[in-house]
């Protein structure tokens, strides 16, 4: 017998089912893409036969199990991926369980008049292929799972291979909760051995009606080129702008809190500060009061050599110019604690250190690249006009997230209009933009490139019109 990847995956799926004590239920874990898609299609048909009231009851069961297991999943994610911290990941899991909208998000539009009644209703796509990131593994499955099922779909998840154990655990828990609440098994499916090749097979599979990718530029481009309806939730590089009218102490506290949340892994987290010169020193002093450790001079160059990779850009044939340096991220440091990163500089961080700050020029690689670690460059500019201009530039047109601390309504409005981000947070930590300490629902899939914005169940629906002529209009 040839022992290949599929055989290993099949054995893993079967062992997991037996360990569960019930080999007839798959609870969403399959050896091949074909099997996972077939099971999800069958589950989706069964879901379509249930009432919305029952669907809401299944969602409540998903919410409860996700909430109860929030800390366990956070612990698993930190151990497996080596990124982030348990306390903040627990909050993110709880947030996804509690504040992801359910079926109430689906609404019907109606027109009535001389010629009767016309409705537009939001119907399911069918089976959705959802590709999820290593930075938010369980919270994205919880959030996508609730939203997609609320909209009447089933899902096949393609988790990042570096977070497969955590992702499989939450998919299994959610299926178990659904089955216990009287719903079909396999509304959420995945593979026992998720890989990039499997993600590509999911993108091409004829049994998948829609794709949703939450991740970096590569995967967003891949789903948008797939020929299927696709939602792409891509990278950000959120600037936090502070002008001279802001409450500087509060701005400093909020920036440290937002930037250090889950060790800066969230795509919405502050990635660079742009401060108007006259308040910049005061801002940095307050940041130090709230848990920032400031490095300077040679330490900044040393840190660059540690957390970033560097190579020479490929130049066109015949070009005589000196090659430019191209920087990338050293993935070993993504999502690590500030104290761990400081230890690599030979610095023992004082207790309570949350983030490393440093003053840099506007074109420093720390400003330009999405670091996803608690290292926050601060750039001084002469006035608010320069701050707005630079913020737009370093956000790179991602149209993802921006933060501003100011009491001047004109300044706030000008940056919001110029930067055109999906999320714009005023006078708060960035996470207020996804409902932590701010109003509104949450999501872990923020679709800037394809324009759905903060996704919710309605993002996973098809609009369908139903027309009844010359009746049901009662006036
Ligand atoms: P990643 O792009 O490396 O991986 C994301 C997912 O895509 C994984 O499941 C991975 O296996 C898969 N993948 C990657 N390249 C692929 C390809 N070419 N073909 C098929 N599948 C592919 O990202 P990550 O490191 O897991 O997550 C961090 C990135 O995701 C950051 O850039 C962050 O800003 C972004 N992100 C965005 C959002 C959002 O809502 N906009 C949310 C979370 C993370």
């Amino acid at each position: 017998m040839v022992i290949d990847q599929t055989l290993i995956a099949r054995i893993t799926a079967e062992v997991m089912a037996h360990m569960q004590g019930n080999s007839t239920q798959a609870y969403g874990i399959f050896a091949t893409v074909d099997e996972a898609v077939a099971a999800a299609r069958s589950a989706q048909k069964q879901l379509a036969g249930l009432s919305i009231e029952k669907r809401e009851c299944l969602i409540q069961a998903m919410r409860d199990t996700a909430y109860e297991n929030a800390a366990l999943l956070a612990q698993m994610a930190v151990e497996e991926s080596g990124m982030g911290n348990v306390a903040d990941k627990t909050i993110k899991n709880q947030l996804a369980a509690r504040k992801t909208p359910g079926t109430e998000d689906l609404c019907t539009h109606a027109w009535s008049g001389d010629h009767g009644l016309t409705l537009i209703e939001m119907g399911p796509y069918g089976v959705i292929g959802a590709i999820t990131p290593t930075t938010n593994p369980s919270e994205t499955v919880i959030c996508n799972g609730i939203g997609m099922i609320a909209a009447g779909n089933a899902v096949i998840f393609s988790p990042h291979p570096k977070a497969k154990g955590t992702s499989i655990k939450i998919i299994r828990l959610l299926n178990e909760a659904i089955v216990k609440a009287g719903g079909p098994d396999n509304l959420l499916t995945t593979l026992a051995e998720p890989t990039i090749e499997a993600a590509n097979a999911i993108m091409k599979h004829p049994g998948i009606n829609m794709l949703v990718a939450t991740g970096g530029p590569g995967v967003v481009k891949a789903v948008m080129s797939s020929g299927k309806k696709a939602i792409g939730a891509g990278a950000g590089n959120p600037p936090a702008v502070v002008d001279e009218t802001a409450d500087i102490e509060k701005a400093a506290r909020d920036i440290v809190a937002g930037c250090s949340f889950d060790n800066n892994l969230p795509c919405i987290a502050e990635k660079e500060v742009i401060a108007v010169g006259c308040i910049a020193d005061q801002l940095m002093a307050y940041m130090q009061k709230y848990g920032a450790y400031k490095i300077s001079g040679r330490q900044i160059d040393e840190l660059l050599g540690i957390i970033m990779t560097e190579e020479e850009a490929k130049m066109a044939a015949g070009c005589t110019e000196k090659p430019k340096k191209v920087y990338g991220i050293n993935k070993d440091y993504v999502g690590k604690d500030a104290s761990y990163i400081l230890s690599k500089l030979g610095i023992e961080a004082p207790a309570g250190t949350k983030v490393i700050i440093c003053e840099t020029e506007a074109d420093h690689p720390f400003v330009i690249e999405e670091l996803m670690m608690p290292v926050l460059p601060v750039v001084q500019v002469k006035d608010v006009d320069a701050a707005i201009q630079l913020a737009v530039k370093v956000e790179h047109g991602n149209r993802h997230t921006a933060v501003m601390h100011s009491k001047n309504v004109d300044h706030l409005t000008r940056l919001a209009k110029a930067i055109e981000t999906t999320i714009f947070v005023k006078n708060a930590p960035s996470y207020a933009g996804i409902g932590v300490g701010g109003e509104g629902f949450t999501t872990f899939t923020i679709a800037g490139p394809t324009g759905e914005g903060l996704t919710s169940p309605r993002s996973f629906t098809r609009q369908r019109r139903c027309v009844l002529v010359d009746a049901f209009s009662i006036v």
Side-chain angles (χ1 to χ4, degrees), residues 6-334:
T6 306
L7 183 63
I8 294 168
R10 191 178 302 284
I11 294 166
T12 313
E14 280 171 18
V15 168
M16 287 168 103
H18 280 288
M19 279 168 67
Q20 207 60 39
N22 187 348
S23 57
T24 59
Q25 300 278 17
Y27 292 124
I29 318 304
F30 293 90
T32 66
V33 173
D34 282 340
E35 287 166 355
V37 173
R41 291 212 78 79
S42 157
Q44 197 271 331
K45 289 215 163 56
Q46 294 172 62
L47 181 68
L50 301 178
S51 64
I52 301 279
E53 192 182 355
K54 183 69 189 177
R55 204 187 286 175
E56 199 46 52
C57 153
L58 305 182
I59 289 166
Q60 188 57 49
M62 293 169 76
R63 292 188 194 284
D64 292 344
T65 200
Y67 196 86
E68 281 158 22
N69 289 284
L72 170 76
L73 292 159
Q75 181 82 41
M76 281 184 78
V78 171
E79 277 168 19
E80 187 177 27
S81 68
M83 300 180 202
N85 67 68
V86 176
D88 293 342
K89 281 197 188 293
T90 303
I91 294 171
K92 294 202 290 181
N93 286 329
Q94 291 172 338
L95 182 69
R98 286 267 161 90
K99 287 187 88 172
T100 301
T103 57
E104 76 286 356
D105 191 53
L106 309 175
C107 54
T108 300
H109 291 276
W111 293 263
S112 69
D114 292 346
H115 292 298
L117 178 71
T118 292
L119 302 176
I120 298 237
E121 290 188 309
M122 295 180 168
Y125 260 90
V127 176
I128 299 176
I131 301 161
T132 54
T134 180
T135 47
N136 298 336
S138 48
E139 47 276 51
T140 309
V141 170
I142 297 165
C143 176
N144 283 181
I146 291 174
M148 290 170 186
I149 291 172
N153 305 287
V155 200
I156 171 166
F157 282 101
S158 177
H160 195 290
K162 267 171 77 183
K164 69 176 181 183
T166 313
S167 307
I168 286 173
K169 176 77 179 171
I170 180 62
I171 290 166
R172 173 177 286 280
L173 284 169
L174 293 173
N175 274 305
E176 280 171 0
I178 291 169
V179 170
K180 219 165 155 191
D185 193 10
N186 304 321
L187 278 174
L188 309 98
T189 65
T190 193
L191 301 186
E193 285 298 329
T195 57
I196 299 277
E197 294 72 45
N200 286 313
I202 289 169
M203 288 186 215
K204 293 194 189 98
H205 200 287
I208 304 278
N209 307 97
M210 180 189 201
L211 296 167
V212 178
T214 310
V219 70
V220 168
K221 188 167 174 217
V223 295
M224 287 174 74
S225 322
S226 68
K228 292 185 195 285
K229 161 74 184 178
I231 293 181
N237 194 35
V241 172
V242 187
D243 78 8
E244 66 283 6
T245 70
D247 176 337
I248 305 300
E249 180 164 5
K250 181 178 182 303
R253 196 177 60 216
D254 286 354
I255 291 169
V256 170
C259 164
S260 60
F261 189 58
D262 204 17
N263 295 348
N264 199 248
L265 287 179
C267 52
I268 55 156
E270 292 83 347
K271 298 284 189 288
E272 61 278 334
V273 173
I274 302 170
V276 169
C278 57
I279 52 89
D281 288 341
Q282 193 190 9
L283 180 74
M284 284 186 279
Y286 276 128
M287 287 171 87
Q288 285 168 275
K289 174 177 169 187
Y290 289 106
Y293 187 96
K294 190 168 178 224
I295 57 167
S296 50
R298 219 166 33 83
Q299 291 170 320
I300 302 174
D301 298 335
E302 260 180 61
L303 184 63
L304 177 75
I306 293 169
I307 63 171
M308 302 198 79
T309 57
E310 184 184 319
E311 57 182 73
E312 287 189 345
K314 290 191 185 76
M315 304 300 277
C319 178
T320 51
E321 275 175 43
K322 198 171 161 231
K324 286 199 181 108
K325 282 181 182 163
V326 181
Y327 291 94
I329 308 299
N330 182 346
K331 291 199 169 145
D332 292 347
Y333 292 92
V334 170

